[in-house]
Amino acid sequence: MRTAEEIQVLLEQVKDPEIPVISIRELGVLREVKVEGDAVEVVITPTYSGCPAMDAMQEDVEQVLRKAGIANFTVKQVLSPAWSTDWISESGRQKLLDYGIAPPPHTSDIRALKGGVPETACPQCGSTDTELVSHFGSTACKALYKCNACKEPFDLFKCL
Amino acid sequence: MKNEEALFRYAVRMGDNSLVLGHRLSEWCGHGPQLEEDIAQTNIALDLIGQARNYLTYAGEVEGKGRSEDDLAYLRTDREYLNVHLVELHKGDYAYTIARSFLFDAFHLALQQALTTSTDERLKGIAEKAVKEVAYHLRHSSEWLIRFGDGTDESHERAQNALDDLWRYTGELFVPDEAEEVLAKAGVVPHLKDIQAEWSATVDRVLKEATLKRPADGWMASGGKKGVHTEHLGPMLAEMQTLQRTYPGVEW
């Protein structure tokens, strides 16, 4: 028998298939684990309505649970409350940065909410002399930037 | 019309609007005028199709006849599709695609914002998710419309022509059908005239910056909400549904 916290830790093995350095727990996609007797319920929430990684993440969760010998489980997808980039943990933000993706501005940053472009530091060289190329990058959750200092392109995890 | 039937038709309408526009935008995949736009349109299409899945899944549950999102998307004829005409029109040139998206996005954002306070938990949940995505869609289409309108003579002319052509399809957005009336009266969904006021303000603000003229209101097309469509929808559905029609029940 495992506690909800132990299962949360176990599920840190499940990574975002499109950003394989960050776990679904750090990403905030893993919302809740409920344990009642030997029944386990895992609640996950999509980042975007059309996120194609969601089904893969659900399957990975199921596989990890099965491997751990947990047979009686359900994985539920919920939409509400809607996922926000503010739910990405501090360690998650650092891992994004190390992976070359600028972490999202916080939604409390008024410029991000009002449609302005907040100052974004290049994850490669750290310069803030950067420029938005497109609001839509390699996936729905990222915007494409370029750094005017080191001339490298990079992704920004969009504020949502 | 009973609330349950109205809710089914409403969820189907919302799903169909997103699905049909999403499919149209996906036609730019591999054909975008530049790589970044190719990627942007397919990302937006993905958001819309994701929203459609949420709505059609819900519609199937409300109906209670065991129809799944896929049954509703792939096995209905054009007469059973309840989307507005605006979203089904061909993709046209890039100014036409952008102008259409802008006119729809401005409507869609105001509507989704209002739906985040719906008394129906599912409509509320889907809207809470969708509203943030649609805000990005409107930002994208507004910026491009401004770039075209306030760009070269050629881009200005094409954007103005697109707006003039599309204007007659905007009236339908704000004329409620019976399902929308029933649900608005019950306080489940917003009144479309309130959405129209917000849409109109967004349109005026962006067209001014784009140096484009707001077309005069004239004759307005309608029919999509009751399943009577333009000649554009049939061929689109034929393409979209061909696999399920040819090999019923196939999975991959």
Side-chain angles (χ1 to χ4, degrees):
Chain A
M1 187 81 65
R2 288 182 176 82
T3 65
E5 174 58 24
E6 281 166 353
I7 291 171
Q8 289 251 4
V9 172
L10 188 67
L11 290 175
E12 278 178 10
Q13 294 170 44
V14 179
K15 310 292 183 197
D16 179 336
E18 284 173 339
I19 314 168
V21 291
I22 183 170
S23 76
I24 59 169
R25 192 183 187 188
E26 291 165 312
L27 194 57
V29 159
L30 177 61
R31 296 310 302 150
E32 208 181 352
V33 175
K34 293 179 218 169
V35 180
E36 269 194 43
D38 71 338
V40 174
E41 185 183 72
V42 176
V43 181
I44 55 178
T45 188
T47 53
Y48 281 72
S49 300
C51 178
M54 205 54 202
D55 290 340
M57 289 193 260
Q58 172 152 354
E59 281 169 22
D60 289 349
V61 167
E62 292 169 359
Q63 204 179 356
V64 166
L65 293 176
R66 261 187 233 110
K67 262 196 191 156
I70 299 166
N72 184 8
F73 64 81
T74 50
V75 182
K76 198 166 99 183
Q77 291 190 21
V78 297
L79 290 175
S80 182
W83 179 84
S84 162
T85 40
D86 288 351
W87 294 356
I88 301 176
S89 68
E90 278 310 314
S91 66
R93 294 175 66 86
Q94 187 58 45
K95 284 180 186 170
L96 285 175
L97 191 62
D98 295 343
Y99 191 59
I101 299 171
H106 285 287
T107 51
S108 56
D109 186 331
I110 196 71
R111 291 166 303 179
L113 279 178
K114 288 278 177 193
V117 180
E119 196 171 79
T120 298
C122 168
Q124 267 93 283
C125 75
S127 168
T128 52
D129 182 12
T130 59
E131 198 178 320
L132 173 71
V133 177
S134 175
H135 287 304
F136 296 88
S138 53
T139 65
C141 54
K142 290 181 238 126
L144 183 63
Y145 274 72
K146 71 174 177 190
C147 175
N148 293 324
C150 72
K151 310 290 181 199
E152 287 290 324
F154 66 92
D155 276 335
L156 165 83
F157 207 112
K158 281 192 300 209
C159 174
L160 193 78
Chain B
M1 189 180 284
K2 287 202 178 115
N3 275 14
E4 210 157 86
E5 191 193 342
L7 189 56
F8 169 73
R9 288 182 72 86
Y10 193 84
V12 167
R13 158 109 13 85
M14 294 297 288
D16 288 350
N17 281 343
S18 289
L19 176 60
V20 171
L21 183 58
H23 193 83
R24 274 287 175 240
L25 294 181
S26 77
E27 291 173 358
W28 284 105
C29 186
H31 301 275
Q34 50 169 257
L35 187 56
E36 287 79 8
E37 277 310 282
D38 202 300
I39 293 166
Q41 294 295 6
T42 41
N43 268 313
I44 293 168
L46 195 61
D47 284 343
L48 289 168
I49 289 165
Q51 293 160 15
R53 290 185 61 182
N54 291 334
Y55 283 117
L56 294 180
T57 299
Y58 185 36
E61 289 171 21
V62 170
E63 187 188 38
K65 291 182 186 164
R67 286 204 278 183
S68 70
E69 48 175 311
D70 286 338
D71 293 334
L72 286 166
Y74 294 121
L75 301 176
R76 277 181 304 147
T77 65
D78 59 340
R79 293 300 296 265
E80 296 166 288
Y81 265 75
L82 302 179
N83 58 278
V84 294
H85 286 172
L86 182 66
V87 295
E88 74 198 34
L89 302 168
H90 68 141
K91 77 182 198 298
D93 64 11
Y94 210 62
Y96 192 88
T97 279
I98 289 294
R100 180 248 302 279
S101 281
F102 168 71
L103 293 170
F104 183 76
D105 295 344
F107 159 77
H108 201 197
L109 182 60
L111 182 59
Q112 291 290 4
Q113 251 157 5
L115 285 171
T116 59
T117 59
S118 173
T119 52
D120 183 285
E121 282 300 316
R122 281 288 281 281
L123 291 181
K124 180 173 179 276
I126 297 171
E128 281 174 1
K129 187 84 256 168
V131 72
K132 300 198 268 183
E133 297 159 2
V134 177
Y136 274 105
H137 302 172
L138 178 61
R139 201 196 289 185
H140 175 261
S141 57
S142 299
E143 285 175 4
W144 273 96
L145 194 64
I146 291 164
R147 190 169 300 166
F148 285 149
D150 196 20
T152 64
D153 288 346
E154 175 77 16
S155 69
H156 179 92
E157 190 187 340
R158 288 203 195 197
Q160 187 65 56
N161 286 346
L163 277 177
D164 293 346
D165 281 353
L166 289 163
W167 199 253
R168 76 196 68 169
Y169 298 102
T170 58
E172 187 183 22
L173 295 170
F174 307 108
V175 180
D177 72 347
E178 200 186 338
E180 287 163 333
E181 260 172 11
V182 166
L183 293 178
K185 246 182 222 155
V188 177
V189 306
H191 287 282
L192 288 175
K193 64 174 184 333
D194 298 332
I195 303 301
Q196 185 167 23
E198 202 180 326
W199 174 84
S200 197
T202 306
V203 167
D204 283 341
R205 178 173 53 76
V206 173
L207 291 193
K208 186 167 179 243
E209 199 178 338
T211 73
L212 292 164
K213 272 214 304 275
R214 179 179 172 131
D217 286 344
W219 176 80
M220 291 289 182
S222 68
K225 289 186 178 185
K226 55 179 184 208
V228 181
H229 292 281
T230 68
E231 68 272 29
H232 298 285
L233 185 64
M236 193 203 96
L237 290 183
E239 187 192 33
M240 191 181 89
Q241 298 178 334
T242 183
L243 198 68
Q244 279 304 321
R245 298 286 190 188
T246 314
Y247 304 100
V250 71
E251 283 183 28
W252 67 322

